Amino acid sequence: MTKKITLVFVLFLFVFGLRAESLLNEGFEGWSTTNFPTGGWTVINDTQEGAINHWTVDNSKSACAGSVSLYCNGGEWDPIEPVKEEWIVSPSLTLSETNYNLSFLWKGASASAFKNEYDFQVRITEDDGKSWKTVFSFLDQSMVENSGVAFPWTGWVTNTSKISLGAYSGKTVKIAFVHCLLVSGAGKGNSIWVDNVVVETGEAIDAPIADVNPTSYIFDGTYIGVGKWSEKFVLRNKGVGNLTVSGISGLEGSDFSTNMIPSEVSLRPSVEYEFYVKYTPSSELSSKSATMTIHTNGGDVSIVLEGTKIILPDEYNLESFESGDRRAHV
């Protein structure tokens, strides 16, 4: 009995240790215009004459998730608002020496944004607001891509961004979401929605991370001596920086080949590279399986390949229509 209890306790500690520690997990579901802001959050409203749109909540169907999102309106025709900034600031968060990541949902108007009419920024302070550093701007391609969102981003689509807070380990910080109206004029600028703000422990996002899909493929019913192409494979960079491929292994001496060209692969964050694998069984006795490993600067990824063979009777001729070109591309 003692051994069983000890084992259960050890398993509990192991599972508990795998769970991310969350310092902030705010979905704004309990928020309303009558209690806004709550939970230790604060707002810094622009006080210029004509500044009428500030951060509030949106409980309409436009919410990013659930029934409520943070929301700041923009793009008024009358009255015309001045160039300004609207802030909403998180409670103080004390980060331990481990790595934390900030993730959040957001959506905005790409047409107005890419005319440089307005910006959505995330800023962090480690001195209680005396100074702030911008860690995200939806106008900055590198910042957007490094947060895991393709650039240019699509308007009115909910995006999920994740930012490493490793630079702030051991510090007490506040996080601000800032709506920046960059141009004053009728209809200039537009709105921003924010939701599901989470700060929790996790692997640092500070390098490329390779991801391939699918991770296995079966070639059904392939005639010996006749090549057959797979469906599309996708290699993706889930990290930051450029993902490159140094080589491919596992296909040497096998009946499998690929049209991936390693030297052509250079993927920014969230960018995908499409490629195919070909199976050409050479004989009845040749191996029907292989594992293709793609070696990258963001870790190795592997694809398990299998094939089934069909022997064509001598009196038959086969037209498989498999001779078409397959080109790998981003």
Side-chain angles (χ1 to χ4, degrees):
M1 177 65 75
T2 302
K3 290 183 178 179
K4 290 183 179 179
I5 293 174
T6 301
L7 178 60
V8 170
F9 181 69
V10 170
L11 287 173
F12 171 79
L13 291 178
F14 176 73
V15 172
F16 183 79
L18 292 178
R19 293 178 60 187
E21 177 194 355
S22 179
L23 295 182
L24 181 65
N25 190 344
E26 184 57 78
F28 309 106
E29 289 304 301
W31 291 38
S32 67
T33 54
T34 57
N35 70 3
F36 177 87
T38 188
W41 289 70
T42 57
V43 292
I44 305 173
N45 295 333
D46 196 295
T47 58
Q48 297 180 79
E49 182 178 355
I52 60 171
N53 288 309
H54 313 296
W55 282 102
T56 183
V57 290
D58 180 9
N59 58 4
S60 72
K61 293 182 179 179
S62 296
C64 292
S67 58
V68 181
S69 290
L70 289 180
Y71 170 70
C72 190
N73 194 12
E76 293 287 350
W77 291 88
D78 184 24
I80 296 174
E81 291 193 282
V83 173
K84 65 187 182 79
E85 292 186 349
E86 302 289 344
W87 294 54
I88 184 162
V89 184
S90 77
S92 294
L93 305 170
T94 300
L95 281 58
S96 64
E97 293 296 335
T98 190
N99 184 78
Y100 289 82
N101 294 318
L102 163 67
S103 63
F104 54 95
L105 307 181
W106 60 274
K107 66 178 176 179
S110 55
S112 297
F114 296 136
K115 293 177 183 177
N116 288 314
E117 294 180 1
Y118 84 123
D119 194 8
F120 166 57
Q121 297 183 3
V122 179
R123 301 174 187 172
I124 295 180
T125 180
E126 54 183 280
D127 55 15
D128 199 28
K130 295 182 178 64
S131 61
W132 294 84
K133 180 179 180 180
T134 301
V135 296
F136 178 86
S137 161
F138 73 13
L139 295 181
D140 187 298
Q141 179 174 349
S142 177
M143 287 182 172
V144 171
E145 291 180 339
N146 285 339
S147 77
V149 176
F151 190 95
W153 46 273
T154 303
W156 310 120
V157 171
T158 298
N159 301 288
T160 301
S161 284
K162 181 180 283 189
I163 300 168
S164 175
L165 300 180
Y168 300 95
S169 294
K171 300 177 180 179
T172 297
V173 302
K174 292 182 178 179
I175 301 168
F177 298 92
V178 187
H179 180 291
C180 308
L181 185 61
L182 305 178
V183 178
S184 177
K188 298 297 183 181
N190 216 307
S191 306
I192 191 75
W193 287 260
V194 176
D195 212 333
N196 288 6
V197 179
V198 177
V199 174
E200 64 182 8
T201 55
E203 184 179 355
I205 310 167
D206 55 9
I209 301 174
D211 178 73
V212 70
N213 187 54
T215 57
S216 63
Y217 192 85
I218 298 176
F219 295 82
D220 289 321
T222 308
Y223 286 94
I224 292 176
V226 179
K228 187 174 186 178
W229 286 101
S230 68
E231 299 298 321
K232 177 178 65 178
F233 288 90
V234 174
L235 178 68
R236 181 172 180 263
N237 182 5
K238 294 176 60 178
V240 301
N242 271 14
L243 179 76
T244 58
V245 174
S246 58
I248 300 169
S249 64
L251 302 185
E252 306 89 341
S254 76
D255 289 341
F256 299 89
S257 60
T258 180
N259 64 349
M260 172 183 280
I261 303 174
S263 61
E264 291 184 352
V265 181
S266 180
L267 303 180
R268 303 189 311 275
S270 298
V271 175
E272 298 179 345
Y273 178 87
E274 299 177 357
F275 64 98
Y276 298 83
V277 173
K278 191 175 185 179
Y279 176 49
T280 310
S282 56
S283 72
E284 186 178 358
L285 300 178
S286 62
S287 176
K288 297 184 291 184
S289 64
T291 298
M292 172 181 171
T293 300
I294 305 169
H295 304 283
T296 83
N297 63 338
D300 294 347
V301 289
S302 296
I303 303 169
V304 176
L305 302 167
E306 295 184 26
T308 58
K309 306 174 183 179
I310 300 175
I311 301 174
L312 186 67
D314 292 338
E315 65 270 21
Y316 287 86
N317 292 317
L318 173 69
E319 175 51 71
S320 66
F321 303 102
E322 286 285 342
S323 59
D325 187 24
R326 300 287 179 100
R327 297 182 182 275
H329 64 279
V330 176

